[in-house]
Amino acid sequence: AGWIDEDVIMPWMNPMIVKAWSKLAAYVDYESQRRQEPDYYAHARELAERCIEWRSKNLPEAEITWVDNAL
């Protein structure tokens, strides 16, 4: 909602959001279509897209690392 400056929050928040969204996006899209609710998790989708965009601009060479048996 613009309450917190993205330059302050994005470095901390984007890794968690980008990783989670890479796993959840397909499920959210499926549920949105199945429920016929185009606004289903719309804010989560918008936040993920902003995080992905921020990450590509500010950390263009960063890659997601997946570790077996980790949280």
Side-chain angles (χ1 to χ4, degrees):
W3 296 351
I4 301 172
D5 184 10
E6 283 194 358
D7 290 333
V8 173
I9 197 77
M10 280 296 183
W12 169 79
M13 182 176 64
N14 89 80
M16 294 175 283
I17 302 297
V18 170
K19 278 187 168 187
W21 193 248
S22 70
K23 298 286 187 178
L24 296 174
Y27 297 106
V28 171
D29 291 342
Y30 171 79
E31 280 298 315
S32 176
Q33 292 171 4
R34 185 174 77 89
R35 296 165 184 255
Q36 297 180 5
E37 295 178 6
D39 61 337
Y40 183 78
Y41 276 83
H43 292 291
R45 182 179 289 113
E46 290 169 12
L47 175 60
E49 289 169 357
R50 286 196 337 256
C51 286
I52 291 165
E53 182 180 335
W54 185 92
R55 190 173 179 87
S56 69
K57 286 180 182 176
N58 293 281
L59 302 167
E61 296 181 19
E63 295 182 16
I64 292 176
T65 302
W66 299 105
V67 178
D68 291 337
N69 301 317
L71 296 176

